Amino acid sequence: MIIGNVYRKYFKNNLFLKMILFFSIIMIVTIITFSYLMFLSLSEAAVQRQMNIQKRAVESVSSYVSGKYESVQNMMRDVYRDSELASNTSFLMEHPYEEYVRFRLDKFYSDIGATTDAVQFFRNKMEDDPDIRSLMLYSADQQQLYVYNQHKQFKIIPTNAARSFVPDAMYLEEEAQVSIPNIWVRKIVNLPDQQMYSLRVPVNNKQSLRNVGQLLVYFDAEKIWGSLANYRDDFKGTIVVLSAHGDVLFDTSNTLYGSKYPYAEQVSSIYDTGVIGEDMIITKLTQSQGGYTVLSAVPKEELAATYRGVRNSIITIALICILVAIIVPSLFIGNFARRIYNIIRLMRKVKKGDLKARIDDPREDELGQISKSFNDMLDELNLYIDRGLKAEIKQKHAELAALEARVNPHFLYNTLEVIRMRSISHGAHDVAEMIYSLSVLFKSFVQQKSNYTLKDELEACRLYLELFRIRYKDKFSYSIRCDKPFESIPIFKMSLQPIIENYILHGMRADRNDNHIEISVQPSGEDCIVQVRDNGKGIARERLEQIMTGLYHPDKNAESFGLRSIHERLGLLFGDRYGLEIESEEGQGTTLTIRFPRKGEGVINHV
């Protein structure tokens, strides 16, 4: 009610306020829509960019841990490649250390000479990698540990099963390649309380292939931060390294190390990227050989923060654009309206008999020219009045009206022909074609013919379609198929053209390049059938029912006047069995069938 009162009071009789309102609504909707689409695009790009950073960070950590895993594997490969070193290592693992020393001395004083010392070999490997905190060889036969601490000191620690849990721990964890350092091993070798992860490799006798122990290497977990140097300020959430059993080997939040990852089961079901719960996005990379997993866990709220600045910027720019789009046209249209109202006010004065009123508008634009012309007209009018020529003016008006009444339509055809020839001379052949089609089409509508045939109606349709083919260029095509014997069939005017017009207005898809309409003429016994088939939008089932109701029950439905007019004229002239049939499927196109007698008895000329 309030909106209606406001409309009647301010907008109903005010064209310029309507223009401002209409333009403002269009601009606001356009800017909001464009801003929203831009926000979607930029936010998606920001999220994708952040997910790429997360993925590269995960890959960097995985590459670092994989490098450590390969370095430990290479230690044992180097042992097995050197037969003497492999023999010495197996002897060390299978005998007490004192016997190993005598074994080495015997070799030294024999013909063999000095051979590679297994103890020194592993000390050198530890010295080569500053990230190693401890390197241990566990002898299953001797139940003792050969330990190198972070100061490169070599110790032998007995781990008899009767007094230590280490043999049991070694047995239970022999399948774990990358894991958390065992608490009993850490205690017995007196390792400092810092974050580490262990890499485990079985040690076999090269000759018998019997397992004689294990190689354990403890790495400093804090060194993993070095692999994140390029992403430390960019990645979001938490980077976590998990063992095969779901234990946390490293996490950037420093809160989960050594514990079971709370979402280990959910993570195991994710292949590459997925969502845990409702707000945790996971990027996962599993190393199959080492059995460890590196993942990135980012809350959606943190991802949203990556494009929050973009959103605020877009909102600010959109608001500014809306203000400019409203204020600038309002000022322009307001100024235009004031000048128009000034002209109207002066015209009303003249209407009341004040022929001395003049419009004061010195500008040279269209309104200025109207004002100047109006002033000149008043000057001339006063001059004629002063000379007493009112009667002559009336006579001139009568003659002019009579002259206009005698203007022949040929004047329009000739004018269009002049425009067409001028277009051809300037190279605008498509414009010339459209003018020619329009001229001939208009002539066919106006010209009275005693015998109007199907050929004439098809030619009118062709001219009409040609206009739109030129207009839409490569987006629209048509075809007309009619055998020569059918061209002379009598038919009334406008029997096909409204159908073509319906397709152009309602059926054609401007977003497609394959719009096509086909007109075909076929015999059907003593009748003739014209089918108009298109590949346009089609008609929804409910809408088609309404149209059919309008054809057969015009008193119930006043829509589709053009189709109803054709159907009614066919029925009145030829009988109830003649008329229109419509088949359509939404999104696929429409086929209209027009049936009329081939002999055309009862056709009324110029109907």
Side-chain angles (χ1 to χ4, degrees):
M1 189 66 179
I2 297 176
I3 296 176
N5 293 333
V6 171
Y7 175 79
R8 284 190 295 270
K9 183 176 180 180
Y10 296 102
F11 293 96
K12 184 176 181 180
N13 297 317
N14 195 318
L15 175 63
F16 296 104
L17 283 181
K18 287 182 182 178
M19 292 174 59
I20 294 174
L21 178 63
F22 181 72
F23 183 80
S24 299
I25 292 174
I26 290 177
M27 291 304 299
I28 290 173
V29 172
T30 302
I31 292 172
I32 290 176
T33 302
F34 180 75
S35 300
Y36 177 71
L37 294 176
M38 181 179 290
F39 168 72
L40 289 181
S41 176
L42 294 179
S43 61
E44 184 178 348
V47 170
Q48 187 60 45
R49 184 167 55 251
Q50 185 60 47
M51 293 305 297
N52 289 336
I53 292 174
Q54 300 296 124
K55 185 175 182 180
R56 290 197 296 270
V58 167
E59 290 174 347
S60 180
V61 172
S62 179
S63 177
Y64 173 81
V65 178
S66 179
K68 298 303 179 185
Y69 174 80
E70 286 297 323
S71 68
V72 175
Q73 295 290 325
N74 288 334
M75 287 185 192
M76 291 310 303
R77 293 192 187 101
D78 292 343
V79 171
Y80 295 140
R81 289 191 189 101
D82 190 331
S83 299
E84 289 296 329
L85 178 59
S87 175
N88 291 344
T89 302
S90 299
F91 194 92
L92 174 65
M93 302 293 284
E94 294 172 337
H95 300 83
Y97 184 71
E98 293 79 5
E99 292 186 20
Y100 171 74
V101 173
R102 286 196 296 271
F103 173 75
R104 290 270 297 125
L105 289 174
D106 291 343
K107 280 191 174 183
F108 181 77
Y109 289 111
S110 66
D111 295 338
I112 299 175
T115 58
T116 304
D117 182 10
V119 175
Q120 185 60 41
F121 171 80
F122 286 105
R123 178 184 283 114
N124 293 339
K125 291 295 182 181
M126 184 172 179
E127 290 176 352
D128 291 340
D129 192 342
D131 294 348
I132 297 177
R133 288 294 167 262
S134 179
L135 187 148
M136 289 168 274
L137 287 168
Y138 172 70
S139 172
D141 294 344
Q142 301 300 314
Q143 291 191 354
Q144 61 184 11
L145 282 172
Y146 300 101
V147 181
Y148 300 88
N149 61 21
Q150 57 184 343
H151 303 296
K152 317 302 186 293
Q153 296 172 339
F154 177 71
K155 293 182 180 181
I156 302 174
I157 301 175
T159 59
N160 188 280
R163 300 186 300 275
S164 171
F165 293 106
V166 172
D168 294 333
M170 290 294 182
Y171 175 75
L172 293 174
E173 297 181 358
E174 64 181 354
E175 298 297 329
Q177 296 176 312
V178 182
S179 62
I180 293 289
N182 184 271
I183 186 171
W184 303 109
V185 176
R186 292 188 64 151
K187 286 184 177 180
I188 200 169
V189 300
N190 196 25
L191 288 174
D193 185 17
Q194 66 182 96
Q195 296 185 9
M196 291 182 287
Y197 59 96
S198 68
L199 298 181
R200 186 186 307 265
V201 180
V203 180
N204 300 322
N205 186 307
K206 186 177 180 181
Q207 301 298 325
S208 64
L209 300 181
R210 185 177 69 89
N211 180 263
V212 295
Q214 299 177 28
L215 169 65
L216 280 81
V217 183
Y218 286 4
F219 287 93
D220 187 353
E222 290 294 326
K223 297 296 183 179
I224 296 178
W225 276 107
S227 63
L228 292 171
N230 295 331
Y231 311 100
R232 195 159 188 167
D233 298 330
D234 297 325
F235 77 86
K236 304 291 182 182
T238 306
I239 304 293
V240 182
V241 181
L242 303 180
S243 69
H245 300 294
D247 298 320
V248 178
L249 308 179
F250 168 80
D251 78 295
T252 54
S253 65
N254 290 324
T255 59
L256 301 174
Y257 173 77
S259 62
K260 198 80 170 179
Y261 190 63
Y263 307 108
E265 293 184 2
Q266 294 95 317
V267 168
S268 64
S269 63
I270 295 175
Y271 174 69
D272 185 16
T273 303
V275 179
I276 292 179
E278 295 182 355
D279 63 346
M280 189 69 72
I281 299 177
I282 300 295
T283 302
K284 170 185 170 184
L285 185 61
T286 300
Q287 218 284 345
S288 57
Q289 291 182 337
Y292 64 90
T293 299
V294 183
L295 61 87
S296 159
V298 187
K300 288 184 178 179
E301 184 62 28
E302 287 195 38
L303 278 181
T306 60
Y307 57 79
R308 188 171 293 127
V310 173
R311 180 194 63 191
N312 296 337
S313 299
I314 290 177
I315 291 175
T316 301
I317 294 173
L319 291 176
I320 294 174
C321 291
I322 289 174
L323 289 175
V324 172
I326 293 175
I327 293 174
V328 172
S330 297
L331 293 175
F332 175 78
I333 295 176
N335 178 60
F336 189 82
R338 284 192 297 271
R339 296 172 64 191
I340 292 289
Y341 291 146
N342 188 40
I343 294 174
I344 293 173
R345 182 176 57 83
L346 267 295
M347 286 182 174
R348 287 173 178 170
K349 283 187 177 182
V350 174
K351 179 180 177 182
K352 293 178 180 180
D354 185 4
L355 298 180
K356 294 182 179 180
R358 295 293 183 271
I359 302 175
D360 185 15
D361 193 342
R363 302 184 187 181
E364 295 296 329
D365 57 9
E366 288 81 356
L367 287 181
Q369 294 177 24
I370 291 174
S371 300
K372 184 176 183 299
S373 298
F374 184 76
N375 293 337
D376 293 342
M377 181 191 69
L378 289 178
D379 292 338
E380 292 294 330
L381 182 59
N382 285 327
L383 181 59
Y384 281 117
I385 291 173
D386 291 340
R387 293 178 181 177
L389 296 179
K390 292 181 180 180
E392 184 179 350
I393 292 174
K394 290 182 181 180
Q395 179 64 27
K396 293 296 183 183
H397 279 299
E399 293 176 359
L400 180 60
L403 179 61
E404 291 175 347
R406 293 195 300 270
V407 173
N408 193 290
H410 290 290
F411 172 75
L412 177 60
Y413 310 149
N414 296 335
T415 303
L416 290 174
E417 183 63 17
V418 171
I419 297 173
R420 186 176 76 88
M421 297 305 296
R422 179 63 62 87
S423 300
I424 292 175
S425 66
H426 285 78
H429 295 285
D430 56 342
V431 177
E433 290 180 19
M434 292 184 72
I435 292 173
Y436 173 77
S437 298
L438 178 61
S439 174
V440 178
L441 181 63
F442 183 78
K443 182 181 291 186
S444 69
F445 286 159
V446 176
Q447 187 178 24
Q448 300 296 322
K449 293 187 66 175
S450 57
N451 295 315
Y452 193 80
T453 64
L454 180 59
K455 178 181 180 181
D456 298 322
E457 184 64 14
L458 291 176
E459 177 63 13
C461 292
R462 187 192 70 79
L463 293 169
Y464 187 82
L465 290 171
E466 188 66 13
L467 287 172
F468 287 91
R469 185 194 67 78
I470 299 171
R471 175 184 175 185
Y472 290 104
K473 295 185 178 178
D474 298 331
K475 289 188 175 183
F476 173 68
S477 62
Y478 67 91
S479 61
I480 300 176
R481 295 188 293 107
C482 178
D483 294 336
K484 198 73 174 178
F486 302 113
E487 293 181 350
S488 59
I489 295 176
I491 195 171
F492 53 82
K493 283 187 178 181
M494 304 293 284
S495 56
L496 300 178
Q497 192 274 338
I499 298 174
I500 307 300
E501 184 175 355
N502 268 356
Y503 164 70
I504 296 296
L505 295 178
H506 306 296
M508 190 169 69
R509 297 181 177 179
D511 56 337
R512 288 175 49 172
N513 295 327
D514 62 341
N515 290 287
H516 183 77
I517 184 169
E518 177 186 5
I519 304 173
S520 61
V521 182
Q522 306 169 6
S524 178
E526 296 181 355
D527 298 334
C528 180
I529 291 177
V530 178
Q531 282 193 338
V532 181
R533 183 181 293 108
D534 65 71
N535 62 347
K537 299 177 181 177
I539 307 173
R541 184 184 300 274
E542 296 78 10
R543 176 61 179 160
L544 183 58
E545 292 177 355
Q546 294 176 2
I547 294 174
M548 297 303 296
T549 301
L551 292 181
Y552 294 98
H553 304 284
D555 55 328
K556 297 182 180 180
N557 194 325
E559 297 182 354
S560 302
F561 173 80
L563 299 180
R564 191 174 71 251
S565 173
I566 296 173
H567 184 76
E568 289 179 349
R569 284 189 288 170
L570 287 170
L572 289 172
L573 291 174
F574 308 123
D576 294 337
R577 63 189 295 262
Y578 299 98
L580 280 178
E581 294 179 4
I582 305 175
E583 297 177 2
S584 182
E585 184 176 353
E586 189 172 11
Q588 300 298 322
T590 303
T591 300
L592 286 94
T593 303
I594 306 97
R595 178 183 292 273
F596 52 90
R598 296 175 66 175
K599 295 183 179 180
E601 288 87 358
V603 174
I604 301 174
N605 293 331
H606 312 305
V607 174

